Amino acid sequence: MTSNDAVQNPVIPDTMRAAVLRDTAKGLEVETLRTPRPKVGEVLIKVAACGLCHSDLHVIGGAIAFPLPAVLGHEVTGTIVEVGPGNERTGLAVGQNVAGGFLMPCGQCDACAEGHDELCGPFFELNRLKGVLYDGATRLATPEGESVAMYSMGGLAEYAVVPSTSVAVVPDAIDMVPAAILGCAAMTGYGAVRRGADLRFGETVAVVATGGVGTNIVQIARAFGASQVIAIDVSDDKLAPMAGYGATAVVNSATHNAREEVLKLTGGKGVDVAFEALGIPATWTTALDVLADGGRMVPIGLGAGVQTAGVEINRTVRRSQRILGSYGARTRQDLPAVVDLAARGVINYKDVVSQRFPLQDAGVGYEALRNRQIQGRAVVDMSL
């Protein structure tokens, strides 16, 4: 067999390793599962890397209910090793490197027909509630046949089935391991700036919480022409690299009054857009506190379970402020755009990834994330 034949006809093993969550008290444990196979409108990728995200952490800790056993991991890169039927017009082929977006639109529902991938009904009703794909079945199972739920594509595994609607081909120049963050951290940041805020050139911005998503919002907002980008966090270590991503100022809200500092920086006005990227009441309060009259607060972070945040009603009404929730992005349009920005160097995706873990240490990585020990983003690197 020639090397070209190997690319066109890769050997797909019967089984694979995956980090499986069976018990929230025990966390992730690596098991052997059957290698999944793609059905209509799907592809199978050999995973190169999978990012570690707070959304997974909420499921691992039991704060967000999800069927168990399950394989998590929802931002991946990999190489297509099998193309399912019904892909004749996608341009996808065995051997292509791709990034997988966490928000996997069905492409058929009313929201998808209107171009609102982020509101896809079957994604929330089937994948997020039941851990299955759009025929009502998971692609994952143990060797004995026990079903295993999928959180998005279940990327914490050596192989993953991904709907064709949620993959974008990446050029050879892309570094596949750190590029795993493109499908969630970067795409979510892009969606918040482009879709949620509809940011305009010259507007001023604050980004509250500078983890993986927040870091990407900083650099994407700057790329979209924000005149000021003020990064706000409670950690000096997380704020330290923000200038390199385009922040014009940083504020530690644990040691300084964020509202006072932002007002000083903006001539007493506050910012036109405040992004909230963690999903806790304290960061909601900070984002609203630094907002200008007529400004937009764009929350992106998901809370652990059912959380509420206070809003000062009179100020919001009298000052004509808006709160515009932003979940992910429009995958089919925005993921290719994010890949392009990364390929052209507009998004610095490589330095956002500060730590890499082997698959067997995925649980260790999530524990570090829980303890706020990850700067930017960490990934599971399947080559380790």
Side-chain angles (χ1 to χ4, degrees):
M1 179 182 292
T2 67
S3 59
N4 187 61
D5 289 336
V7 170
Q8 297 301 317
N9 301 286
V11 176
I12 301 171
D14 293 333
T15 60
M16 66 173 186
R17 294 184 307 140
V20 180
L21 179 68
R22 290 184 174 274
D23 185 339
T24 57
K26 294 181 178 179
L28 300 178
E29 297 180 316
V30 174
E31 298 183 16
T32 296
L33 300 182
R34 293 176 182 173
T35 302
R37 306 306 284 264
K39 295 184 178 180
V40 175
E42 300 168 353
V43 295
L44 176 67
I45 66 170
K46 184 177 183 181
V47 176
C50 180
L52 306 185
C53 178
H54 270 96
S55 300
D56 291 329
L57 191 61
H58 295 327
V59 177
I60 293 169
I64 291 180
F66 194 74
L68 300 179
V71 175
L72 286 78
H74 59 263
E75 53 179 21
V76 300
T77 48
T79 303
I80 296 177
V81 292
E82 186 177 0
V83 176
N87 278 293
E88 291 77 13
R89 298 182 183 179
T90 63
L92 298 174
V94 170
Q96 290 175 329
N97 289 336
V98 296
F102 82 97
L103 207 166
M104 308 185 307
C106 73
Q108 304 294 323
C109 68
D110 289 346
C112 285
E114 295 171 357
H116 284 285
D117 293 0
E118 76 278 18
L119 300 178
C120 173
F123 172 74
F124 291 101
E125 294 160 10
L126 293 172
N127 186 263
R128 276 297 181 267
L129 290 181
K130 300 180 180 179
V132 298
L133 293 182
Y134 306 132
D135 61 352
T138 180
R139 302 293 178 266
L140 298 176
T142 66
E144 295 75 30
E146 177 190 14
S147 291
V148 177
M150 305 166 62
Y151 192 79
S152 287
M153 72 289 290
L156 287 172
E158 293 178 313
Y159 291 85
V161 164
V162 192
S164 304
T165 54
S166 55
V167 295
V169 177
V170 301
D172 292 339
I174 290 285
D175 187 337
M176 289 287 282
V177 173
I181 72 164
L182 299 180
C184 178
M187 188 175 76
T188 297
Y190 181 92
V193 174
R194 171 68 181 86
R195 308 293 179 184
D198 190 18
L199 187 70
R200 304 303 172 89
F201 187 89
E203 289 189 309
T204 57
V205 164
V207 181
V208 183
T210 56
V213 174
T215 299
N216 279 287
I217 294 173
V218 167
Q219 57 182 332
I220 292 168
R222 198 74 168 124
F224 271 56
S227 60
Q228 288 181 277
V229 179
I230 303 166
I232 303 173
D233 206 292
V234 296
S235 167
D236 286 334
D237 288 342
K238 290 190 174 184
L239 289 170
M242 288 303 108
Y245 293 107
T248 56
V250 300
V251 175
N252 186 322
S253 57
T255 57
H256 295 77
N257 183 301
R259 176 174 172 79
E260 292 178 0
E261 295 301 315
V262 170
L263 289 178
K264 289 177 187 176
L265 291 164
T266 57
K269 295 179 180 179
V271 293
D272 298 311
V273 183
F275 295 96
E276 186 284 323
L278 187 57
I280 62 174
T283 48
W284 264 68
T285 298
T286 299
L288 289 168
D289 281 347
V290 302
L291 198 59
D293 293 353
R296 290 105 70 201
M297 196 278 263
V298 182
I300 303 104
L302 288 178
V306 178
Q307 291 198 53
T308 59
V311 176
E312 188 179 331
I313 295 173
N314 287 357
R315 185 174 75 185
T316 303
V317 174
R318 287 173 174 164
R319 300 296 91 196
S320 297
Q321 295 174 332
R322 286 169 284 170
I323 299 173
L324 303 162
S326 178
Y327 184 71
R330 299 178 185 179
T331 307
R332 290 172 292 177
Q333 299 175 54
D334 295 343
L335 183 56
V338 168
V339 170
D340 180 62
L341 290 172
R344 292 192 286 116
V346 177
I347 292 177
N348 176 2
Y349 64 96
K350 294 181 182 179
D351 291 341
V352 175
V353 175
S354 62
Q355 294 188 51
R356 305 182 184 198
F357 295 90
L359 180 61
Q360 63 265 27
D361 289 342
V364 175
Y366 278 111
E367 191 59 28
L369 182 63
R370 184 189 305 279
N371 294 329
R372 296 182 62 85
Q373 296 169 339
I374 302 295
Q375 182 173 296
R377 201 67 142 191
V379 301
V380 165
D381 181 345
M382 294 298 173
S383 70
L384 298 178

